[in-house]
Amino acid sequence: QKSICDTLCIAMKRRNRSPSPLTVDLPTEGQLALLQVDYEVMKVENAELRKRLLKALRALSTARSGQAPSKKQRVEEKEKEKKKEKEKPKEKAKEAKAKDKDPPREKPKETERERPDKPQQPQVQEESEPGEPGMNAVMLANAQMEAYNEPIAADLPKEQRSKMLEEKLKRFMDYFQENVQIMDLKSGGVIVKGKMFAKRFGCVFRESGEELQGQSTKRFYFDSISPTYCLDFEFHEHLVTAQPGTPPDGRLGVREPRSERLVVLYEEKDGKISRMWLRPDAENVGGNPTAEEKDIMPTEIYKDFEAKLKELKGTEDLG
């Protein structure tokens, strides 16, 4: 009994209560019953206090860390978004209706007469396609050299490389007539012509590889109504051709890669290269970086080509 009373007194003290004389005078069973009631009351109070404390802590945590809004707030936000989505089609329909009623007016174009202070822009001539009358000898010489210099690696798979070589040759041949001729300036003889021309350069592209390069180091252009003429001093690197006296396609063997300086006279007819006259630049006139027009024109090699041009044009005036 004494231990029960002690326990009751401790419970009362924890609740800041003093044991009533009435409770002390109660028998042990009554005191136990009263203690049980008091315990249940404390549980209810503690639960309520704990609930309020958790609510306050959650509110404080949300305010400090910026956590997501409550479930109620999220529901309200979703309702607002749904309402906006429903209203969007109506707004778009109103805008479309307004545009139909009042279409935007185009800004009038300004003419040169209305804007005399506006500087006139130079007109750029569009690039001509191969075979068009607009392509003269200079344009064709440049275009064919660009195709000539397209690199194709030797270590590609055979089928892929063959296809690329075929496409390169086609691009190159687009700038030449079908019956094109390469002629020796000195003898006047035909070196290669027609279908053999394509086979010769097919061999050059296939065997020379990606190191093949050609460039014009000096140039003279003779302007006139078609045919037009262009005289180039050229330098070729890593050039591989068929062995002398064998078919130009290289099927009976090819020469070692070499560098070669040539002088080439291109003739343009109907927008394509029709004939070419070659002569080796043995005097290296084109390789002299300081040589100017006045230095080149008195040379023997230039005079030989000049004579050929006068013959072709039928006049002493080369333009």
Side-chain angles (χ1 to χ4, degrees):
Q1 290 180 359
K2 185 178 179 180
S3 62
I4 292 172
C5 289
D6 292 337
T7 304
L8 181 60
C9 289
I10 291 169
M12 289 296 197
K13 286 178 181 178
R14 286 181 179 175
R15 295 189 61 205
N16 295 321
R17 294 178 183 176
S18 300
S20 171
L22 294 174
T23 59
V24 174
D25 293 338
L26 286 174
T28 303
E29 290 81 1
Q31 292 180 5
L32 285 172
L34 184 61
L35 181 61
Q36 187 173 1
V37 171
D38 200 19
Y39 173 70
E40 294 295 331
V41 172
M42 288 176 67
K43 277 175 65 178
V44 173
E45 291 177 352
N46 288 342
E48 183 65 24
L49 288 171
R50 184 173 181 276
K51 185 177 178 182
R52 292 180 182 178
L53 179 61
L54 286 173
K55 187 176 180 181
L57 288 172
R58 283 173 183 165
L60 180 62
S61 177
T62 302
R64 287 182 177 178
S65 61
Q67 290 181 354
S70 63
K71 184 176 181 182
K72 185 178 179 182
Q73 290 174 331
R74 290 198 298 270
V75 171
E76 289 176 354
E77 288 177 2
K78 285 183 179 179
E79 291 296 328
K80 288 179 181 179
E81 289 176 3
K82 287 180 181 177
K83 192 175 180 181
K84 286 181 181 179
E85 291 295 330
K86 288 179 181 178
E87 291 176 354
K88 278 184 180 179
K90 295 179 181 179
E91 292 176 359
K92 288 182 179 179
K94 288 180 181 179
E95 290 177 3
K97 193 173 181 181
K99 286 181 180 178
D100 292 337
K101 286 182 179 180
D102 188 18
R105 296 179 181 178
E106 291 185 2
K107 186 177 179 181
K109 296 181 180 179
E110 295 177 345
T111 64
E112 294 299 328
R113 290 182 181 179
E114 292 171 348
R115 292 289 307 277
D117 59 324
K118 185 177 179 181
Q120 294 186 359
Q121 298 294 330
Q123 294 183 351
V124 180
Q125 185 177 0
E126 294 183 0
E127 252 185 60
S128 303
E129 292 295 325
E132 288 189 3
M135 294 197 79
N136 57 34
V138 171
M139 297 167 68
L140 290 165
N142 287 338
Q144 62 88 26
M145 190 64 81
E146 285 180 10
Y148 180 93
N149 288 335
E150 289 179 12
I152 297 178
D155 57 353
L156 293 172
K158 187 176 179 181
E159 289 185 4
Q160 182 183 354
R161 187 168 189 269
S162 296
K163 185 177 179 181
M164 292 176 70
L165 287 168
E166 185 180 342
E167 291 172 351
K168 175 178 177 176
L169 181 61
K170 183 180 182 303
R171 284 191 293 274
F172 178 76
M173 292 299 299
D174 280 343
Y175 301 104
F176 298 89
Q177 293 186 357
E178 288 185 8
N179 59 344
V180 60
Q181 296 179 337
I182 298 180
M183 309 177 75
D184 179 64
L185 179 70
K186 191 174 182 179
S187 67
V190 177
I191 300 172
V192 65
K193 65 177 181 179
K195 294 180 180 179
M196 289 296 108
F197 180 88
K199 290 184 178 181
R200 179 186 190 275
F201 282 96
C203 171
V204 170
F205 297 156
R206 183 183 67 250
E207 302 298 334
S208 301
E210 59 187 323
E211 296 177 32
L212 175 68
Q213 282 290 306
Q215 60 176 317
S216 173
T217 57
K218 309 287 181 186
R219 169 171 288 169
F220 292 84
Y221 172 55
F222 306 93
D223 193 13
S224 64
I225 299 172
S226 184
T228 57
Y229 296 90
C230 173
L231 180 64
D232 279 2
F233 289 76
E234 297 181 352
F235 178 58
H236 295 259
E237 293 181 277
H238 209 269
L239 176 64
V240 177
T241 56
Q243 289 285 359
T246 65
D249 58 6
R251 64 177 181 270
L252 297 182
V254 295
R255 299 174 61 182
E256 290 295 318
R258 66 188 187 278
S259 295
E260 192 166 60
R261 292 192 178 274
L262 298 170
V263 187
V264 186
L265 177 64
Y266 294 93
E267 179 187 66
E268 168 273 329
K269 278 186 181 178
D270 301 323
K272 289 196 176 187
I273 297 171
S274 56
R275 290 185 290 182
M276 301 157 61
W277 288 266
L278 304 183
R279 177 174 167 176
D281 186 8
E283 297 85 1
N284 195 24
V285 175
N288 183 356
T290 62
E292 298 179 2
E293 183 176 327
K294 61 181 178 61
D295 303 314
I296 298 173
M297 292 181 71
T299 60
E300 180 185 348
I301 193 166
Y302 180 85
K303 287 186 175 297
D304 288 345
F305 277 99
E306 186 181 45
K308 186 65 183 178
L309 269 169
K310 290 177 180 179
E311 176 191 329
L312 292 168
K313 293 170 72 72
T315 177
E316 292 290 319
D317 182 14
L318 297 181

